[in-house]
Amino acid sequence: MDSNISNIETCIIIDPLYDFISLDGVYCTKFGFEDTIDIRNCMIPIQCVASCVANNKNSMYLIIIKSKYYINQFEEIPTLCSTPKGQCIELNIDGIDTDTNIDIDTGCIPIIIEKTTNNIQDCSDQQEILRSLTYDKHIYICGITTTSCVNTSIHALLPTCKSISVSKDCIASRRSNRILEQEIFSKWNKISKLNIYDNWKDCFV
């Protein structure tokens, strides 16, 4: 395991969106309150991470990954992240208006990248921006869901970054996917460039 957590250069937050987080979003509507509760709970530490990075904007980049899917892209959840409301970013960061992406205090723009599949690199004309902020860099990744977009994106970025750090309190999946999630953690533990921690503070404080 690489000990580069003090050198994080880019923080990536995947899909902190209405459709995943809201009780009225399609994810909770489809799978139920209990099965999706860990996804809502992980947003508390994710908000802490976002605020921490925003307060240290001169030392690291903040990228918010926003899924923009088309209707019926996923058979099980046909309308997931396919409407402006469903794609709404549900982060409350001091000084940042996530609707307009503007830092109210300084005018700094957190980078919002729209992806069209589970893979972070499927972001069409924003691929070069993503590459420039992740290539040969120490990265922190958090967000939703562990068993899909987070896992896929980690493996997509591993070949070209210096390292990736993940904290288990800032990623989540449906409770019915816990066995699969544990299998993923077991595989992650064998990757030398991937640092896994229990708490986000181990990476940012």
Side-chain angles (χ1 to χ4, degrees):
M1 204 181 259
D2 199 349
S3 58
N4 290 314
I5 57 172
S6 62
N7 298 322
I8 292 171
E9 298 165 277
T10 299
C11 173
I12 298 174
I13 304 176
I14 299 176
D15 283 343
L17 307 180
Y18 179 93
D19 263 356
F20 285 108
I21 297 159
S22 173
L23 293 176
D24 295 321
V26 299
Y27 217 66
C28 183
T29 301
K30 171 66 178 179
F31 297 113
F33 179 87
E34 289 296 329
D35 199 22
T36 57
I37 194 168
D38 292 340
I39 290 172
R40 290 184 296 281
N41 287 343
C42 83
M43 284 304 300
I44 297 172
I46 286 175
Q47 296 236 17
C48 293
V49 167
S51 296
C52 179
V53 175
N55 290 333
N56 292 277
K57 59 179 71 72
N58 293 327
S59 61
M60 70 181 80
Y61 297 104
L62 174 61
I63 300 175
I64 300 174
I65 302 296
K66 176 179 177 179
S67 287
K68 192 172 185 179
Y69 301 141
Y70 57 83
I71 293 176
N72 295 322
Q73 184 166 345
F74 302 100
E75 183 177 351
E76 192 174 21
I77 324 172
T79 60
L80 180 67
C81 300
S82 63
T83 66
K85 184 175 183 180
Q87 296 163 4
C88 183
I89 296 170
E90 298 287 301
L91 280 176
N92 299 311
I93 309 171
D94 291 342
I96 292 180
D97 181 348
T98 51
D99 289 330
T100 57
N101 311 337
I102 298 296
D103 185 314
I104 295 166
D105 296 327
T106 67
C108 178
I109 303 175
I111 299 132
I112 295 181
I113 292 179
E114 295 180 349
K115 67 179 181 65
T116 55
T117 74
N118 292 339
N119 189 335
I120 194 173
Q121 293 180 328
D122 289 331
C123 52
S124 60
D125 58 342
Q126 294 175 295
Q127 285 183 352
E128 285 304 314
I129 296 173
L130 179 66
R131 178 176 172 79
S132 68
L133 300 180
T134 58
Y135 180 79
D136 203 31
K137 287 183 169 54
H138 300 295
I139 303 167
Y140 176 85
I141 292 180
C142 62
I144 303 160
T145 64
T146 310
T147 55
S148 183
C149 295
V150 173
N151 186 47
T152 302
S153 297
I154 284 173
H155 284 284
L157 294 176
L158 272 170
T160 57
C161 70
K162 283 185 178 176
S163 72
I164 295 177
S165 293
V166 179
S167 57
K168 290 182 179 180
D169 61 334
C170 287
I171 55 176
S173 297
R174 290 159 45 204
R175 289 191 169 182
S176 57
N177 282 335
R178 279 187 172 173
I179 293 176
L180 176 58
E181 193 173 58
Q182 290 305 312
E183 291 173 354
I184 288 171
F185 290 154
S186 179
K187 292 177 181 178
W188 284 0
N189 281 321
K190 299 174 183 178
I191 301 173
S192 60
K193 289 171 65 174
L194 183 55
N195 307 297
I196 306 171
Y197 301 91
D198 290 326
N199 193 287
W200 73 273
K201 293 181 181 179
D202 294 331
C203 300
F204 289 96
V205 176

